[in-house]
PDB file of all heavy atoms in Angstrom:
ATOM      1  N   LEU V1521      28.295-125.012 -43.505  1.00 98.00           N
ATOM      2  CA  LEU V1521      27.808-126.268 -44.070  1.00 98.00           C
ATOM      3  C   LEU V1521      27.395-127.226 -42.962  1.00 98.00           C
ATOM      4  O   LEU V1521      26.504-127.980 -43.119  1.00 98.00           O
ATOM      5  CB  LEU V1521      28.997-126.940 -44.901  1.00 98.00           C
ATOM      6  CG  LEU V1521      29.038-126.605 -46.374  1.00 98.00           C
ATOM      7  CD1 LEU V1521      30.300-127.224 -46.995  1.00 98.00           C
ATOM      8  CD2 LEU V1521      27.823-127.281 -47.088  1.00 98.00           C
ATOM      9  N   GLU V1522      28.208-127.303 -41.924  1.00 98.00           N
ATOM     10  CA  GLU V1522      27.892-128.187 -40.847  1.00 98.00           C
ATOM     11  C   GLU V1522      26.569-128.122 -40.248  1.00 98.00           C
ATOM     12  O   GLU V1522      25.838-129.052 -40.002  1.00 98.00           O
ATOM     13  CB  GLU V1522      28.989-128.074 -39.750  1.00 98.00           C
ATOM     14  CG  GLU V1522      28.815-128.883 -38.430  1.00 98.00           C
ATOM     15  CD  GLU V1522      28.713-130.423 -38.701  1.00 98.00           C
ATOM     16  OE1 GLU V1522      29.192-130.863 -39.736  1.00 98.00           O
ATOM     17  OE2 GLU V1522      28.244-131.105 -37.876  1.00 98.00           O
ATOM     18  N   LEU V1523      26.058-126.810 -40.188  1.00 98.00           N
ATOM     19  CA  LEU V1523      24.641-126.547 -39.713  1.00 98.00           C
ATOM     20  C   LEU V1523      23.587-127.279 -40.624  1.00 98.00           C
ATOM     21  O   LEU V1523      22.736-127.938 -40.222  1.00 98.00           O
ATOM     22  CB  LEU V1523      24.502-125.085 -39.661  1.00 98.00           C
ATOM     23  CG  LEU V1523      23.110-124.637 -39.073  1.00 98.00           C
ATOM     24  CD1 LEU V1523      23.067-124.819 -37.534  1.00 98.00           C
ATOM     25  CD2 LEU V1523      22.907-123.097 -39.385  1.00 98.00           C
ATOM     26  N   LEU V1524      23.783-127.092 -41.901  1.00 98.00           N
ATOM     27  CA  LEU V1524      22.927-127.612 -42.888  1.00 98.00           C
ATOM     28  C   LEU V1524      23.001-129.114 -43.061  1.00 98.00           C
ATOM     29  O   LEU V1524      22.044-129.822 -43.201  1.00 98.00           O
ATOM     30  CB  LEU V1524      23.047-126.958 -44.276  1.00 98.00           C
ATOM     31  CG  LEU V1524      22.241-125.701 -44.472  1.00 98.00           C
ATOM     32  CD1 LEU V1524      20.746-125.897 -44.255  1.00 98.00           C
ATOM     33  CD2 LEU V1524      22.685-124.546 -43.513  1.00 98.00           C
ATOM     34  N   ARG V1525      24.249-129.676 -42.842  1.00 98.00           N
ATOM     35  CA  ARG V1525      24.437-131.043 -42.943  1.00 98.00           C
ATOM     36  C   ARG V1525      23.680-131.753 -41.781  1.00 98.00           C
ATOM     37  O   ARG V1525      23.092-132.797 -41.976  1.00 98.00           O
ATOM     38  CB  ARG V1525      25.919-131.447 -42.811  1.00 98.00           C
ATOM     39  CG  ARG V1525      26.704-131.232 -44.124  1.00 98.00           C
ATOM     40  CD  ARG V1525      28.018-132.019 -44.079  1.00 98.00           C
ATOM     41  NE  ARG V1525      28.825-131.585 -45.183  1.00 98.00           N
ATOM     42  CZ  ARG V1525      29.992-130.918 -44.995  1.00 98.00           C
ATOM     43  NH1 ARG V1525      30.493-130.667 -43.842  1.00 98.00           N
ATOM     44  NH2 ARG V1525      30.661-130.608 -46.071  1.00 98.00           N
ATOM     45  N   ARG V1526      23.747-131.199 -40.649  1.00 98.00           N
ATOM     46  CA  ARG V1526      22.980-131.721 -39.535  1.00 98.00           C
ATOM     47  C   ARG V1526      21.551-131.831 -39.778  1.00 98.00           C
ATOM     48  O   ARG V1526      20.786-132.835 -39.561  1.00 98.00           O
ATOM     49  CB  ARG V1526      23.153-130.874 -38.253  1.00 98.00           C
ATOM     50  CG  ARG V1526      24.278-131.412 -37.445  1.00 98.00           C
ATOM     51  CD  ARG V1526      24.217-130.773 -36.080  1.00 98.00           C
ATOM     52  NE  ARG V1526      25.685-130.747 -35.608  1.00 98.00           N
ATOM     53  CZ  ARG V1526      26.031-130.301 -34.449  1.00 98.00           C
ATOM     54  NH1 ARG V1526      25.234-129.679 -33.683  1.00 98.00           N
ATOM     55  NH2 ARG V1526      27.333-130.363 -34.123  1.00 98.00           N
ATOM     56  N   LEU V1527      20.931-130.696 -40.277  1.00 98.00           N
ATOM     57  CA  LEU V1527      19.467-130.673 -40.573  1.00 98.00           C
ATOM     58  C   LEU V1527      19.167-131.656 -41.643  1.00 98.00           C
ATOM     59  O   LEU V1527      18.124-132.412 -41.479  1.00 98.00           O
ATOM     60  CB  LEU V1527      19.095-129.222 -41.014  1.00 98.00           C
ATOM     61  CG  LEU V1527      19.079-128.203 -39.869  1.00 98.00           C
ATOM     62  CD1 LEU V1527      18.891-126.874 -40.499  1.00 98.00           C
ATOM     63  CD2 LEU V1527      18.065-128.477 -38.865  1.00 98.00           C
ATOM     64  N   VAL V1528      19.952-131.681 -42.721  1.00 98.00           N
ATOM     65  CA  VAL V1528      19.631-132.587 -43.808  1.00 98.00           C
ATOM     66  C   VAL V1528      19.696-134.063 -43.357  1.00 98.00           C
ATOM     67  O   VAL V1528      18.847-134.883 -43.696  1.00 98.00           O
ATOM     68  CB  VAL V1528      20.502-132.314 -45.023  1.00 98.00           C
ATOM     69  CG1 VAL V1528      20.404-133.336 -46.100  1.00 98.00           C
ATOM     70  CG2 VAL V1528      20.252-130.864 -45.654  1.00 98.00           C
ATOM     71  N   THR V1529      20.770-134.357 -42.589  1.00 98.00           N
ATOM     72  CA  THR V1529      20.921-135.735 -42.157  1.00 98.00           C
ATOM     73  C   THR V1529      19.759-136.110 -41.195  1.00 98.00           C
ATOM     74  O   THR V1529      19.307-137.313 -41.300  1.00 98.00           O
ATOM     75  CB  THR V1529      22.269-135.846 -41.359  1.00 98.00           C
ATOM     76  OG1 THR V1529      23.286-135.264 -42.203  1.00 98.00           O
ATOM     77  CG2 THR V1529      22.609-137.282 -41.172  1.00 98.00           C
ATOM     78  N   ALA V1530      19.388-135.208 -40.343  1.00 98.00           N
ATOM     79  CA  ALA V1530      18.355-135.654 -39.329  1.00 98.00           C
ATOM     80  C   ALA V1530      16.978-135.683 -39.955  1.00 98.00           C
ATOM     81  O   ALA V1530      16.121-136.465 -39.491  1.00 98.00           O
ATOM     82  CB  ALA V1530      18.408-134.587 -38.193  1.00 98.00           C
ATOM     83  N   CYS V1531      16.697-134.916 -40.981  1.00 98.00           N
ATOM     84  CA  CYS V1531      15.249-134.678 -41.430  1.00 98.00           C
ATOM     85  C   CYS V1531      15.007-135.257 -42.785  1.00 98.00           C
ATOM     86  O   CYS V1531      13.881-135.177 -43.238  1.00 98.00           O
ATOM     87  CB  CYS V1531      14.882-133.235 -41.452  1.00 98.00           C
ATOM     88  SG  CYS V1531      15.170-132.426 -39.825  1.00 98.00           S
ATOM     89  N   THR V1532      15.949-135.862 -43.394  1.00 98.00           N
ATOM     90  CA  THR V1532      15.751-136.414 -44.822  1.00 98.00           C
ATOM     91  C   THR V1532      16.467-137.683 -45.028  1.00 98.00           C
ATOM     92  O   THR V1532      17.415-138.062 -44.193  1.00 98.00           O
ATOM     93  CB  THR V1532      16.185-135.449 -45.841  1.00 98.00           C
ATOM     94  OG1 THR V1532      17.668-135.364 -45.852  1.00 98.00           O
ATOM     95  CG2 THR V1532      15.642-134.000 -45.702  1.00 98.00           C
TER      96      THR V1532
END
Side-chain angles (χ1 to χ4, degrees):
L1521 264 174
E1522 175 57 20
L1523 183 74
L1524 273 302
R1525 282 199 192 113
R1526 267 194 206 176
L1527 290 172
V1528 171
T1529 311
C1531 304
T1532 68

